[in-house]
Amino acid sequence: MISEQLLYSLAGIGLFAIGLRATLLHHMLLPRLLALNVCGAGVFLIFIAIAYAGVENMADPVPQALVLTGIVVAVSATAMALALGRRLEALKDE
Amino acid sequence: MSDAIIWVIMIPLLGSLISLTWSRYASFIAITSNMLALAASIIIVRQVYQSGPFIHQLGSWQTGLGISLRADALSSILLVMSMSVISAATFYASTYFTDAVKRARFWPLWLMLVVALNALLLSGDLFNLYVTLELLGLSAIALTALSDNRAALQAAIRYLSIGLLGSLVFLAGVALVYTGYGTLDLATLSNVVQASPLSQVAFGLMTAGLLIKSALFPLHFWLPSAHASAPAPVSAALSALVVKVAVYILLRLWIDVFDPVLTPFSAMLLGMLGAIAVIWGSWQALQAQRLKLMAAYSTVAQIGYLFIFLPLIVALPDGPLKDAAYTALLLMALTHGFAKSAFFLSAGVIQQYCGHDRIAELGGTARALPLTIFVIALSGVALIGLPPSGSFLGKWHLISSSLHAGQWWWVPVIAAGSILATAYVFRILGHAFAPGEGVDQVLKWGREEIPALILALLATLILGFGSAGLWDFVSQHNGFPGG
């Protein structure tokens, strides 16, 4: 039986690959942003899996701190892309 | 003693926050904080020159827990270059924006860009490099979108989505490094990294992410539209600095940290891509119809030269030859930084004076704006690589290192790139000196032309005649203590 850590790491790598493929295939803003967020979720899952050290032990805090920062960055970048997209739509209507 | 390394980041950060709340005095705050940060960066170079590379642990946390800031010859010199370009562009920007709303939005973002640049150059671990890359990307994109027209917004969105992809790929590499070695500190890593499948994949992912950010052919497609449609002072910073710091991280990782992992083949591959970038970028620059687009394609080509150095540095044995190639790379990067920012600022002056930047309709500008056209010619000298510019010395060493390393095939590429650069620079000058209508015949002489002149003089004269000390400085003080 494979360990939980490996399972989560592989899931993370899978998500990353799916997101990467979709990012490269889509040219519309919204699907692309969703794909980038899936891609990011994959990377964060890999970090979480790295931090895991068994049920009895405390998880490594460094990767978890990194994930928190990563999520903040991803949220702000997504928000900015959406704001730019809205502004572009508004300019198209004028 | 190492306080300057904190202040060079803190002063623009404070300036950014104050200018956000106190937008009426924002120009004054920005100029003051950039001058102070420039002074701090000069103090850092002096410290490195006198007592060698140093580390500052923020809050006295031990390595690996807190944020560590480091300065050595490479990072401190790039820091001074970036602060000089930023200061000149700041003076220019204080006259560029006439719209009060845009000006109020510009200054906080601009100072945040400075924070990101300085923090990135001084970062000592992989995760802070990721965070500062993102901060840099986000502020650069917001500044690009300030032009507020369709072309700029489309370019900004493309820049954002491709930049985000690049940083996620980089972050995935960082995760693998932490899995393998349990640390992200660059100096510690450089002692423990070994060639293994894991470190190869991690290294490959980080390199791929940074290649997107540094716009190496064929990943350059987002660059020309973004750099051409941003406001002129922003374009100057994007082309001269934002692209270059990604190359800086790449160089750090390749030469200092992951040297057991990299193979001559991978270095050769990047060199080949760099060579294609030189030819393709210069050719596109020659075809471009607009001044700023031409400058953006020229950036693609100039970044290519930096990548040609990589296979040479890898192939040359440790010693004076390798150090010479490494320093020549730095000199090329410095010259391009000064010359390209001078070019973009002059393009901004022309655009505001003529109301457009179409190359074919530049006739008469040499008579109306003699100083600006002189600056374009001076920075053209540096882009071509004519003596006495810094890039003349850089290209000279590039050619001699390729002959020393037995890789003669780079020489025709460098020659072809220089000929194409001559062609695109003289094409602009030809149109500018032609007689033209529609431009006022009154001689104009404004203070917005001075910053570009200083930058162009730095690129052609100061770096050409004064860079002899750079070779000793870099070979003695590069790398981190313990690294």
Side-chain angles (χ1 to χ4, degrees):
Chain A
M1 196 191 133
I2 52 172
S3 71
E4 290 121 318
Q5 192 168 24
L6 189 63
L7 188 68
Y8 279 98
S9 304
L10 289 177
I13 292 170
L15 274 179
F16 178 71
I18 293 171
L20 189 66
R21 178 178 170 277
T23 310
L24 296 176
L25 286 180
H26 286 284
H27 291 287
M28 297 271 293
L29 177 64
L30 218 50
R32 204 173 207 190
L33 268 183
L34 287 173
L36 276 170
N37 276 289
V38 170
C39 196
V43 178
F44 301 149
L45 194 56
I46 299 174
F47 269 110
I48 295 292
I50 294 167
Y52 183 70
V55 186
E56 296 86 33
N57 305 320
M58 213 172 71
D60 184 355
V62 175
Q64 296 190 331
L66 303 189
V67 167
L68 271 181
T69 318
I71 290 173
V72 172
V73 169
V75 167
S76 27
T78 309
M80 183 154 136
L82 291 174
L84 288 176
R86 281 191 54 165
R87 180 76 195 133
L88 188 63
E89 286 299 316
L91 279 184
K92 270 180 190 163
D93 292 343
E94 274 168 20
Chain B
M1 176 195 158
S2 50
D3 284 353
I5 204 168
I6 305 172
W7 287 115
V8 82
I9 299 167
M10 280 306 287
I11 292 169
L13 185 60
L14 288 173
S16 172
L17 297 176
I18 297 172
S19 66
L20 190 66
T21 52
W22 217 8
S23 59
R24 201 194 303 172
Y25 302 103
S27 309
F28 173 72
I29 294 164
I31 289 174
T32 317
S33 47
N34 280 330
M35 293 324 284
L36 288 173
L38 175 65
S41 71
I42 292 170
I43 294 174
I44 293 173
V45 162
R46 271 182 60 91
Q47 283 178 6
V48 175
Y49 187 73
Q50 284 167 353
S51 49
F54 61 95
I55 302 179
H56 183 89
Q57 303 287 358
L58 284 183
S60 307
W61 289 88
Q62 70 189 75
T63 309
L65 287 180
I67 295 172
S68 64
L69 298 175
R70 289 140 197 269
D72 70 345
L74 180 66
S75 54
S76 60
I77 286 179
L78 282 174
L79 187 69
V80 170
M81 186 273 274
S82 113
M83 277 317 304
S84 320
V85 169
I86 287 287
S87 303
T90 302
F91 277 110
Y92 176 72
S94 64
T95 59
Y96 180 83
F97 290 99
T98 42
D99 183 1
V101 179
K102 265 191 189 170
R103 199 166 50 212
R105 287 182 186 156
F106 170 78
W107 288 119
L109 287 169
W110 178 250
L111 286 165
M112 203 49 93
L113 184 85
V114 181
V115 174
L117 278 170
N118 293 355
L120 191 152
L121 287 171
L122 297 172
S123 280
D125 73 75
L126 284 174
F127 192 71
N128 283 325
L129 284 176
Y130 162 75
V131 172
T132 47
L133 259 181
E134 284 292 45
L135 188 58
L136 186 67
L138 288 180
S139 39
I141 290 155
L143 284 166
T144 308
L146 266 188
S147 287
D148 204 25
N149 54 47
R150 277 181 63 175
L153 283 171
Q154 275 164 346
I157 289 176
R158 189 148 70 152
Y159 188 0
L160 178 57
S161 54
I162 198 73
L164 204 54
L165 183 67
S167 11
L168 283 173
V169 173
F170 180 78
L171 189 62
V174 174
L176 290 186
V177 169
Y178 193 81
T179 320
Y181 302 103
T183 178
L184 295 172
D185 184 67
L186 288 179
T188 318
L189 275 175
S190 67
N191 291 326
V192 296
V193 166
Q194 287 157 351
S196 69
L198 180 86
S199 39
Q200 274 163 0
V201 174
F203 179 61
L205 283 171
M206 285 192 288
T207 304
L210 290 169
L211 289 183
I212 293 179
K213 296 266 181 190
S214 56
L216 179 65
F217 182 91
L219 300 170
H220 67 284
F221 53 88
W222 57 268
L223 184 145
S225 57
H227 287 198
S229 56
V234 178
S235 307
L238 289 181
S239 249
L241 308 174
V242 174
V243 177
K244 206 145 293 149
V245 293
V247 181
Y248 159 79
I249 303 179
L250 205 61
L251 195 66
R252 238 329 158 231
L253 294 182
W254 275 65
I255 309 298
D256 291 352
V257 182
F258 282 89
D259 47 327
V261 180
L262 64 93
T263 56
F265 172 76
S266 48
M268 192 61 81
L269 185 70
L270 287 199
M272 289 286 176
L273 291 177
I276 301 173
V278 168
I279 305 292
W280 170 256
S282 308
W283 181 251
Q284 289 296 318
L286 191 57
Q287 306 289 318
Q289 298 299 314
R290 290 177 46 221
L291 205 52
K292 286 175 78 181
L293 194 62
M294 192 228 88
Y297 273 114
S298 152
T299 298
V300 174
Q302 299 282 332
I303 292 293
Y305 285 113
L306 304 183
F307 280 96
I308 297 182
F309 277 102
L310 270 180
L312 302 174
I313 295 176
V314 171
L316 288 168
D318 283 341
L321 284 177
K322 190 176 195 143
D323 288 342
Y326 193 82
T327 314
L329 194 172
L330 177 61
L331 187 59
M332 287 283 281
L334 294 179
T335 316
H336 175 249
F338 287 127
K340 190 51 64 66
S341 48
F343 194 101
F344 266 116
L345 295 188
S346 306
V349 172
I350 292 176
Q351 193 168 27
Q352 290 206 313
Y353 185 75
C354 305
H356 68 83
D357 68 340
R358 290 183 290 278
I359 295 173
E361 296 167 33
L362 284 182
T365 43
R367 191 188 301 190
L369 298 166
L371 188 60
T372 292
I373 298 298
F374 174 64
V375 171
I376 287 200
L378 266 187
S379 48
V381 164
L383 291 179
I384 300 168
L386 296 174
S389 69
S391 53
F392 168 70
L393 287 172
K395 279 186 183 171
W396 181 270
H397 278 273
L398 180 57
I399 291 174
S400 74
S401 327
S402 16
L403 296 178
H404 280 299
Q407 300 180 3
W408 57 268
W409 49 86
W410 306 122
V411 178
V413 174
I414 300 159
S418 306
I419 292 170
L420 284 171
T422 315
Y424 65 68
V425 169
F426 277 92
R427 177 164 157 255
I428 300 171
L429 294 180
H431 281 294
F433 278 96
E437 310 109 39
V439 185
D440 235 340
Q441 296 297 317
V442 184
L443 186 71
K444 206 173 149 284
W445 182 275
R447 72 180 172 118
E448 70 272 18
E449 295 174 291
I450 307 295
L453 177 69
I454 294 171
L455 288 175
L457 286 175
L458 278 169
T460 42
L461 296 176
I462 311 290
L463 279 180
F465 290 120
S467 60
L470 202 62
W471 264 262
D472 285 337
F473 183 43
V474 171
S475 61
Q476 281 168 18
H477 295 301
N478 214 30
F480 293 131

